[in-house]
Amino acid sequence: YAHRRRMPLSNMSRRALMVGVATTFIGCKRLLSRKKGGTKQLTCPAGEHSIIVPAHWTEGLLKNDEAEIVHGSNLDASFVVVIAEPKDDFSVDLAGYAEIIADLQREKFEDATFEPLEPRVIHGMQALVRELRGTLKGLNLVYLSAVVETPKHFVQIQTWTSKSRFEASRPVLLSVIDSFDVIGPKPN
């Protein structure tokens, strides 16, 4: 065996090896950044609202033309959509707005069950959060659905994951909701 010669790699083999090494390196880097738990701040295009999500979440996995922010992770099967609507367009308070959103969700989901609304204060703003469980397009999902009242808007923060991942994902989804903030003047 000592006299065995190394065979030179062909150009194709070298490229395949380089791609394999690069893919492994990138995959390991993603796992490390995910494991370290980094975050990133996202700001809506108008610059009025922001949230903080895990660093490995990306844009473009989902499409929602009404949303200011859409991010998530196929790896975690966790997602967030932020939709802001002018308060002037509604003749209801925050609880009334939450019920409008719940009615819309009831239309979309099969076998939807809603937990009671839980009052919450997020960066000095009144918010209501509830858990929603249901089936959408054959998928068993669990949402943490929040509505927040800002000086100018009612804001929906819809976070969700699969039923099997919800308990493990709940703290992350709740931290995304709790990170919501208004850029500029806050309510008194």
Side-chain angles (χ1 to χ4, degrees), residues 71-139:
H71 254 64
S73 167
N74 282 334
L75 195 60
D76 300 342
S78 297
F79 305 92
V80 63
V81 171
V82 178
I83 299 171
E85 299 184 279
K87 285 178 12 180
D88 290 344
D89 292 350
F90 297 89
S91 60
V92 296
D93 61 5
L94 185 62
Y97 182 73
E99 288 311 311
I100 290 170
I101 300 308
D103 288 343
L104 293 171
Q105 290 170 323
R106 277 184 193 94
E107 292 174 12
K108 282 201 252 180
F109 288 87
E110 296 172 35
D111 305 322
T113 59
F114 292 82
E115 294 296 320
L117 289 167
E118 294 178 20
R120 200 170 189 86
V121 176
I122 300 174
H123 292 120
M125 295 169 285
Q126 294 303 308
L128 297 169
V129 179
R130 74 164 25 129
E131 187 178 301
L132 156 65
R133 292 175 180 264
T135 303
L136 181 65
K137 297 181 182 176
L139 298 171

Side-chain angles (χ1 to χ4, degrees), residues 14-45:
R14 284 186 184 146
R15 277 186 253 166
L17 180 62
M18 292 300 286
V19 168
V21 170
T23 303
T24 301
F25 177 74
I26 290 167
C28 289
K29 190 173 179 184
R30 281 188 184 148
L31 283 175
L32 286 173
S33 73
R34 185 170 166 239
K35 204 171 193 176
K36 288 181 182 174
T39 59
K40 61 184 174 184
Q41 183 174 11
L42 306 174
T43 304
C44 73

Side-chain angles (χ1 to χ4, degrees), residues 22 34-35 51 55 95 97 105 132 142 159-160 170 174 177 179:
R34 185 170 166 239
K35 204 171 193 176
I51 59 168
Y97 182 73
Q105 290 170 323
L132 156 65
V142 182
T159 64
W160 72 93
R170 190 178 206 288
L174 203 48
I177 289 170
S179 75

